[in-house]
Amino acid sequence: GRHSMLPRHVQRLGRDWITHWNGSQILTFNSPVSSSMRWAGHYPPWASFPLPISADFSANWRFPPFFGPWRQFQSSSWHLDNYTQSCCFHLPSPSMKSEGEEPLTKKRRLSAQDDTSGPEQETNLSNQKEVSCLSVAQNEEIHGSKKGTIKRHWEYFCQQSKTMKIAKNKGSDQSSIGSEATFDFTVMSYNILSQNLLEDNCHLYKHCRQRLLFWTYRFPNILQEIKELDADVLCLQEVQEDHYRTEIKSSLESLGYHCEYKMRTGRKPDGCAICFKTSKFSLISSNPVEFFRRDIPLLDRDNVGLVLLLQPRFHCKANAAICIANTHLLYNPRRGDIKLTQLAMLLAEIASVASQKDGSFCPIIICGDFNSVPGSPLYKFIKEGKLNYEGLAIGKVSGQEQFPRGQRILSIPIWPKKLGISQNCVYEVKQQQKEESAGEKLEAAKPDNTQEIVIASEKLSSKLQHHFKLSSVYSHYFPETGIPEVTTCHSRSAVTVDYIFYSAANENTATHTYQPGAEDSFCGGLKLLGRLALLTEKDLWTVNGLPNEKNSSDHLPLLAEFRLIER
């Protein structure tokens, strides 16, 4: 009777709760949500904990649409399922079997294996918005649904690698295993999902429980993954600067890593990091790459890269070196011109860093989130070493969209000459030095011949090249089924955008196409010994996609084992 105008769902919450609603609380619904809003001290008997909302809650999380005028709230046909999805606590609804259980429409499909343990939550009392949800997380642990996990297996390409892996798990030192002439090491590429970017793009994580999205929950999970996979080199993307400074760097250093970091140049406070075990490598040089150029309108984005030159500590010649590069290219699917230019800048820096005294290149590994799918023009350019982009639509470069919205054709050339990078993706200063050492024969040519040369160079200007013979660690499709592998999975998409490329030793590269003479331009190469298998989209949705209870990024870590083959 008294509350007959309220929606039926509210009436079912319990008369005890409704009787405590007074005029002051109704006025709160009539006005925009206050930054100091709190629930009344009373709470319904079915709740096993109070329902606090922190002072800055409204600044970080969206409230349901019924928090507007009271009349609109009265007439709206809202549902509790929608309400609980947007808040950090759960209310029971008719579709729930018991307290704390997920609504039937949102139940997760779990894998056959269930995990009974979770990472310890590090509570930061100074962060009120996280504290307000921690009590909820504890309640969900008591009443919540089961956790699912998927085991990723190791794929071996060498029997000796399998033997060494088993020996390593038993605690043996590599120095006592196998031939003294070999140097084996592992490399991980992992986009760990910046907390700042997560909160700016919360629409991508509607499928996740709110408690799983807090950094205090996510970081212990990410650190545990890194510990378990135990890679010798880490290439991390979306590393938030404040988290790197206060937690990530010190945590990785305690595990025996030396860390190098490059923050983005714009307002977004994340960047790329390369961390290596000091027991396996020593640092020769660290070279950050900034893709933003104030004097070039094309390069107005703040993405970055990082290139390290490392020296193996044992089993190698004194002058042995490995070049490790890490980057996170622009996301925008409609700006393939920027993506290709950023890639060319990274390749030019790699060519400069990896160059040896005899003119050859040391072995190279390029990791990162390239925001491009397998088979796209950008992907083919990396693997094949050449790309003719004449007539190529700007939105087709990365292959991210099935029906590209960017229809403008790439200009020829893509970037201006003042960038100082040639169509061969090397710094033009070094290229000019090589030409000068060979003699400048063009100056002695006749005017007619010069004109022909200029015309020929204009026709060739739509062709990009690089002189690295690169292979991909992953094949991107499962050979038995043809189903695509997935490296990222959230509410909008599930695709491969993360890669580990490497300069393969000759025995690994028979099926790849390279530049003429490039086989002799490398000082040895790398042999792929094994990799951590990826998953399908269907596999990931059995544990509710990414992030989930055990995987706290929207990307999967990529991991490969290599052997250094010296020339």
Side-chain angles (χ1 to χ4, degrees):
R2 181 180 176 186
H3 301 287
S4 59
M5 294 299 292
L6 292 173
R8 186 171 302 173
H9 292 85
V10 175
Q11 297 180 46
R12 290 178 180 176
L13 290 178
R15 294 182 182 277
D16 292 336
W17 186 31
I18 295 175
T19 54
H20 291 297
W21 287 22
N22 52 37
S24 62
Q25 288 168 322
I26 293 176
L27 287 174
T28 304
F29 286 132
N30 279 323
S31 61
V33 179
S34 170
S35 62
S36 61
M37 174 181 171
R38 295 287 192 280
W39 285 103
H42 303 283
Y43 54 93
W46 45 261
S48 58
F49 56 92
L51 304 175
I53 297 182
S54 62
D56 61 344
F57 188 90
S58 61
N60 294 281
W61 299 100
R62 298 179 181 176
F63 279 83
F66 67 75
F67 279 87
W70 178 244
R71 290 186 180 274
Q72 180 181 351
F73 171 63
Q74 280 185 307
S75 60
S76 64
S77 57
W78 61 280
H79 297 281
L80 284 175
D81 290 353
N82 298 334
Y83 178 71
T84 57
Q85 234 179 343
S86 302
C87 296
C88 67
F89 53 85
H90 291 272
L91 305 178
S93 73
S95 62
M96 290 186 181
K97 291 183 179 180
S98 62
E99 292 181 14
E101 186 176 347
E102 284 285 347
L104 295 176
T105 56
K106 294 292 291 181
K107 274 196 173 180
R108 293 169 172 79
R109 294 167 291 171
L110 301 177
S111 64
Q113 298 179 345
D114 298 321
D115 184 54
T116 58
S117 63
E120 296 179 5
Q121 295 182 350
E122 301 176 4
T123 306
N124 182 3
L125 296 177
S126 64
N127 193 333
Q128 293 186 12
K129 71 175 182 179
E130 297 191 1
V131 171
S132 67
C133 286
L134 285 178
S135 60
V136 182
Q138 294 167 358
N139 184 72
E140 288 183 350
E141 288 296 328
I142 298 172
H143 299 96
S145 59
K146 299 178 181 178
K147 300 178 187 177
T149 183
I150 294 180
K151 296 293 183 183
R152 296 170 62 188
H153 65 278
W154 189 263
E155 297 178 331
Y156 298 97
F157 299 101
C158 174
Q159 182 60 35
Q160 187 179 359
S161 169
K162 186 173 184 178
T163 304
M164 295 180 68
K165 195 80 174 178
I166 295 171
K168 183 178 179 182
N169 292 338
K170 291 181 179 180
S172 301
D173 193 335
Q174 184 186 338
S175 60
S176 62
I177 303 170
S179 171
E180 292 185 358
T182 62
F183 178 76
D184 298 348
F185 62 100
T186 53
V187 177
M188 175 196 290
S189 181
Y190 194 9
N191 183 326
I192 64 172
L193 180 57
S194 158
Q195 188 68 22
N196 183 271
L197 292 177
L198 182 155
E199 294 174 6
D200 287 347
N201 299 276
C202 56
H203 61 281
L204 299 178
Y205 312 105
K206 293 180 179 178
H207 62 287
C208 301
R209 286 189 178 185
Q210 299 290 1
R211 71 179 180 88
L212 304 184
L213 300 180
F214 287 106
W215 181 247
T216 50
Y217 183 92
R218 294 177 55 234
F219 179 60
N221 266 3
I222 292 170
L223 189 61
Q224 184 61 31
E225 272 189 298
I226 291 174
K227 286 181 180 178
E228 291 176 356
L229 296 177
D230 194 29
D232 298 315
V233 180
L234 305 175
C235 292
L236 307 178
Q237 304 89 42
E238 292 193 20
V239 180
Q240 193 162 306
E241 192 274 337
D242 58 335
H243 292 156
Y244 174 79
R245 180 170 26 86
T246 59
E247 295 177 281
I248 298 174
K249 185 173 186 288
S250 58
S251 297
L252 294 179
E253 285 177 343
S254 68
L255 298 177
Y257 291 97
H258 172 84
C259 302
E260 294 288 326
Y261 178 72
K262 176 56 184 174
M263 182 179 167
R264 281 213 259 181
T265 53
R267 294 182 178 180
K268 293 182 179 177
D270 67 281
C272 295
I274 300 180
C275 314
F276 61 89
K277 286 191 174 178
T278 55
S279 60
K280 297 290 286 283
F281 297 96
S282 59
L283 179 65
I284 299 175
S285 67
S286 177
N287 309 272
V289 185
E290 296 182 357
F291 298 142
F292 175 81
R293 296 294 172 89
R294 192 177 304 277
D295 59 335
I296 300 178
L298 174 68
L299 296 173
D300 61 349
R301 308 306 166 97
D302 58 8
N303 305 84
V304 295
L306 186 59
V307 182
L308 265 56
L309 192 62
L310 303 179
Q311 183 175 22
R313 284 195 177 274
F314 51 86
H315 295 344
C316 294
K317 298 177 182 178
N319 63 344
I322 300 172
C323 181
I324 309 286
N326 184 23
T327 191
H328 189 179
L329 298 185
L330 177 71
Y331 167 76
N332 192 337
R334 288 167 282 179
R335 294 309 304 267
D337 52 346
I338 299 179
K339 291 174 189 276
L340 283 173
T341 307
Q342 290 180 346
L343 178 60
M345 296 171 72
L346 181 70
L347 294 174
E349 184 64 25
I350 293 171
S352 176
V353 172
S355 179
Q356 304 290 286
K357 291 181 179 179
D358 60 358
S360 64
F361 295 115
C362 71
I364 295 167
I365 296 175
I366 307 177
C367 299
D369 181 344
F370 290 81
N371 277 313
S372 301
V373 303
S376 64
L378 187 143
Y379 172 87
K380 289 181 178 179
F381 173 53
I382 296 174
K383 284 195 64 178
E384 298 175 5
K386 59 184 179 180
L387 172 67
N388 187 349
Y389 59 86
E390 184 176 4
L392 179 62
I394 197 171
K396 292 184 178 180
V397 170
S398 64
Q400 291 165 279
E401 295 180 333
Q402 188 175 3
F403 304 102
R405 289 171 286 175
Q407 297 298 328
R408 179 166 61 86
I409 302 300
L410 287 169
S411 61
I412 301 176
I414 298 175
W415 57 81
K417 189 173 182 63
K418 65 179 178 179
L419 180 60
I421 295 176
S422 72
Q423 298 292 292
N424 291 327
C425 297
V426 296
Y427 293 125
E428 288 188 327
V429 174
K430 292 200 171 185
Q431 186 166 326
Q432 286 175 1
Q433 290 175 350
K434 289 183 179 180
E435 291 174 355
E436 288 173 1
S437 64
E440 297 179 359
K441 297 181 180 180
L442 293 179
E443 292 182 1
K446 296 181 180 180
D448 292 340
N449 293 340
T450 303
Q451 187 176 1
E452 290 176 4
I453 292 171
V454 171
I455 294 172
S457 65
E458 288 177 353
K459 290 180 180 178
L460 295 174
S461 64
S462 65
K463 294 182 180 179
L464 296 180
Q465 292 181 328
H466 69 75
H467 296 296
F468 310 131
K469 49 174 187 174
L470 298 174
S471 300
S472 173
V473 165
Y474 290 90
S475 55
H476 315 309
Y477 296 91
F478 289 92
E480 303 85 3
T481 61
I483 297 174
E485 297 173 337
V486 165
T487 66
T488 181
C489 180
H490 50 66
S491 295
R492 290 287 179 89
S493 66
V495 293
T496 286
V497 293
D498 306 278
Y499 303 94
I500 301 177
F501 297 105
Y502 67 103
S503 53
N506 288 336
E507 62 186 34
N508 274 13
T509 58
T511 60
H512 297 277
T513 304
Y514 307 112
Q515 297 302 316
E519 289 80 0
D520 299 324
S521 65
F522 276 80
C523 184
L526 297 168
K527 180 178 181 180
L528 180 62
L529 301 181
R531 67 190 179 197
L532 185 63
L534 287 170
L535 302 170
T536 67
E537 179 181 1
K538 183 178 179 181
D539 291 334
L540 287 172
W541 282 116
T542 62
V543 289
N544 202 42
L546 297 172
N548 56 50
E549 297 273 358
K550 300 297 292 183
N551 308 100
S552 287
S553 173
D554 57 351
H555 292 249
L556 291 173
L558 280 59
L559 182 65
E561 183 178 18
F562 298 102
R563 173 167 297 163
L564 177 63
I565 307 296
E566 296 186 274
R567 188 170 64 181

